[in-house]
């Protein structure tokens, strides 16, 4: 599981940062990629990575500002052009369907795969299956905007075959029963409770990806105990007033959320073009003063989200 | 007057060619830039040129396929973001207004300048003022598609002041009357007809920019005597059948149009990703066998359109 940043800028594309898009690579977990926001030129950025458009199975849109959605019609069209035939679902605020369908209709585009829409109006679970759950909460932006919390299900503990073998229990169907947690009586009369030989479950990971937002308590609950928090940082430490007026956050505010929510790492994105080169380091330094594991990401950065250490 | 090619590829963006957009630089003539088609990422390409989005006064769309229009909402938004306040008009087939207005409405974008639409349904003049005229004719593509012919008005001949001075006519208001073509009686009794001292008018230039098309007689009339013809060349010489089936042209067909129409130079664009590097040279060679002044253009090529030599 990795986060790959395809666009880390704010507002308009710049020479160094494209407008927003973040890929959550779930290749080992699901052989899928999920995108969060699709600013214009996201498909161009993908051309420079190893990501395959046909593996993009879900797209989550935080809000409908142009720098977060104008790349959708092109990406969806190219995925079709390149022979993608697996279904794709777009999640996002009301209006995303109208935007995409109008673009496809007007351009006479017929997709080679089923395209579904799941429009969001309030907090709740937007997707859940055996291995992953995605929930959302509203943020505080000029228009409807959501943050997403992706929770991986716990990995069930593995059967400790080594310990069973040390007891001279020969492998065979009995291992399956033990792995299922059953109590088994062996031919030699011994009784073994499988649950005593199953390792502790491996906690699943949590990744929180927020859209543009002012300070809001919803950011905290979305980020609680996350392995990674992706938070906007449009402004610097001393621009709290600007951030408030434009419905954005400062580097320091983002770091406060990370700290209070007890996340493992904070990834700062949606960086204004005013903060190029050394100046973006400045934003990072400001955040690190509050929360050490803070990083201002750049386009094409890939951040590993390791499985939590077993406690 | 120059043509600057912002995207010269077909269908999907590639590593070497972006999807279609062509700028007609009229900086000396009108302090304006006109765009023909706006594929996704056109604003990103513009970032790498000296073009200023606020100088883009007119956008002509040939047809509504995604690779020709998906960059429109972003470009229009960024032009506003960068403080453009001069009006902008979009010309194109019916549907372009719906596409743009939906994108702007859904994204909550309020432009800082007046945006006008001029939807086209048939051949005719789409714009005309004292110095330029733009007309269109339908082409033969899968969906409604137009080619545009841009005609510069003739530049009136200049007063030949050197010849008047050689006659010892002192400069003064009389030069203005002579320049206006009047007959003037001088204080010394001589009578001078201004029309005898005005140089021949300078012919205006003609630039023809076609959209995607099969062979069609309309291409010929649009291109008649043009100083430059921009023509698609999606396919090579031997792929006439493919070109026909996909409503496109071959290199050779484009060259035949250029030759029959008597144009000065042929610029081949909309090159399939199958023709990279040396292979695009191959398209150019094929065209040159029919029409010498043929060139396969690349992204960021700037082609000067010189004033025709006085005959
Ligand atoms: Zn934004
Ligand atoms: Zn095309």
């Amino acid at each position: 599981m990795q986060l790959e940043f395809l666009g880390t800028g704010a507002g308009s594309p710049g020479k160094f940062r494209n407008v927003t898009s973040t890929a959550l690579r779930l290749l080992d977990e699901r052989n899928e990629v999920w995108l969060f926001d699709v600013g214009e030129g996201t498909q161009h950025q993908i051309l420079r990575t190893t990501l395959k458009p046909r593996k993009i199975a879900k797209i989550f849109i935080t809000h409908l500002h142009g720098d977060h959605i104008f790349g959708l019609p092109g990406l969806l069209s190219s995925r079709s052009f390149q022979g993608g035939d697996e279904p794709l679902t777009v999640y996002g605020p009301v209006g995303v369907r109208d935007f995409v369908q109008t673009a496809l209709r007007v351009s006479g585009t017929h997709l080679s795969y089923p395209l579904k829409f799941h429009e969001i109006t309030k907090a709740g679970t937007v997707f859940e299956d055996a291995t992953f759950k995605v929930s959302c909460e509203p943020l505080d932006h000029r228009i409807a905007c959501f943050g997403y919390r992706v929770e991986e299900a716990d990995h069930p503990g593995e059967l400790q075959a080594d310990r069973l073998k040390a007891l001279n229990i020969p492998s065979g169907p009995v291992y399956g029963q033990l792995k299922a947690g059953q109590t088994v009586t062996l031919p030699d009369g011994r009784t073994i409770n499988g649950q005593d030989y199953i390792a502790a479950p491996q906690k699943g990971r949590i990744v929180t990806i927020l859209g543009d937002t002012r300070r809001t308590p919803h950011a905290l609950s979305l980020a609680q105990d996350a392995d990674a928090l992706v938070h906007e940082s449009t402004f610097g430490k001393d621009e709290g007033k600007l951030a408030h007026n434009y419905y954005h956050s400062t580097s320091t505010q983002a770091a406060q959320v990370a700290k209070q929510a007890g996340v493992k790492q904070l990834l700062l994105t949606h960086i204004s073009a005013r903060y190029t080169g050394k100046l973006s380091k400045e934003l990072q330094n400001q955040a690190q003063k509050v929360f050490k594991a803070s990083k201002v990401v750049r386009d094409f950065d890939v951040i590993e989200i390791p499985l939590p250490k077993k406690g």
Side-chain angles (χ1 to χ4, degrees), chain A:
Chain A
M1 188 188 291
Q2 300 89 26
L3 283 162
E4 182 159 7
F5 291 88
L6 299 172
T8 61
S12 282
K15 276 189 190 164
F16 304 106
R17 296 177 183 274
N18 196 32
V19 284
T20 305
S21 183
T22 305
L24 180 62
R25 296 161 52 118
L26 300 170
L27 295 167
D28 292 341
E29 295 78 9
R30 311 172 64 94
N31 197 24
E32 287 180 357
V33 173
W34 293 358
L35 289 189
F36 293 78
D37 290 335
V38 185
E40 183 182 353
T42 296
Q43 63 164 325
H44 299 68
Q45 300 285 87
I46 286 175
L47 277 179
R48 296 173 55 186
T49 70
T50 58
L51 297 173
K52 302 265 172 295
R54 67 187 155 74
K55 296 218 170 164
I56 299 168
K58 296 181 184 302
I59 297 178
F60 299 88
I61 299 296
T62 63
H63 65 298
L64 302 180
H65 277 154
D67 54 324
H68 296 253
I69 63 166
F70 283 168
L72 258 177
L75 176 70
L76 297 175
S77 302
S78 292
R79 184 180 190 268
S80 178
F81 191 71
Q82 290 159 27
D85 52 11
E86 293 292 310
L88 187 153
T89 306
V90 176
Y91 305 80
V94 175
V96 69
R97 179 204 302 259
D98 184 14
F99 168 64
V100 171
Q101 288 187 338
T102 300
L104 297 181
R105 175 175 44 75
V106 165
S107 61
T109 306
H110 304 286
L111 300 178
S112 59
Y113 55 87
L115 177 64
K116 286 180 261 181
F117 292 91
H118 180 127
E119 290 192 330
I120 297 170
T121 53
K122 57 181 199 305
T125 300
V126 296
F127 168 75
E128 184 163 20
D129 68 6
T131 57
F132 278 88
K133 173 182 162 185
V134 182
S135 56
C136 74
E137 289 188 45
L139 301 173
D140 185 10
H141 198 45
R142 196 185 294 276
I143 60 174
C145 183
F146 292 90
Y148 294 98
R149 177 180 173 93
V150 179
E151 295 175 76
E152 184 185 27
D154 293 348
H155 299 263
E158 296 191 1
L159 188 68
Q160 296 169 318
D162 288 356
R163 287 179 58 210
L164 295 171
K165 278 177 184 148
L167 297 173
N168 289 319
I169 303 172
S171 54
V174 70
Y175 274 59
Q177 294 167 303
L178 292 169
K179 188 173 179 182
Q182 295 171 17
T183 297
V184 171
T185 302
L186 300 175
D188 62 15
R190 284 183 291 170
T191 297
I192 308 283
N193 182 348
Q195 290 179 14
D196 296 339
Y197 296 89
I198 293 173
Q202 166 67 61
K203 278 295 268 178
R205 289 157 283 189
I206 300 168
V207 177
T208 299
I209 300 171
L210 302 186
D212 297 5
T213 191
R214 277 182 187 167
R215 297 176 74 134
T216 159
H218 292 291
L220 264 186
S221 44
L222 283 163
Q224 195 62 49
D225 299 322
D227 294 84
L229 167 61
V230 179
H231 198 300
E232 70 131 300
S233 171
T234 313
F235 290 102
K237 181 178 180 298
D238 302 321
E239 298 172 306
K241 208 159 188 173
L242 270 176
H244 183 82
N245 289 345
Y246 289 98
Y247 295 84
H248 282 296
S249 297
T250 69
S251 52
T252 309
Q253 287 168 347
Q256 284 161 349
V257 172
K259 187 179 180 182
Q260 286 177 49
V263 310
K264 297 224 176 70
Q265 54 178 329
L266 170 64
L267 303 163
L268 297 169
T269 183
H270 204 269
I271 308 300
S272 161
R274 294 178 301 133
Y275 295 99
T276 49
K278 276 189 187 162
L279 291 172
S280 80
K281 263 284 193 245
E282 195 52 41
L283 291 179
Q284 181 167 301
N285 292 339
Q286 293 167 0
Q288 287 179 343
K289 286 216 172 93
V290 175
F291 181 76
K292 193 86 196 74
S294 299
K295 180 182 168 71
V296 170
V297 289
R298 293 179 303 184
D299 290 17
F300 305 113
D301 274 356
V302 177
I303 306 291
E304 185 69 38
I305 318 291
L307 277 165
K309 296 250 165 50
K310 295 180 189 185

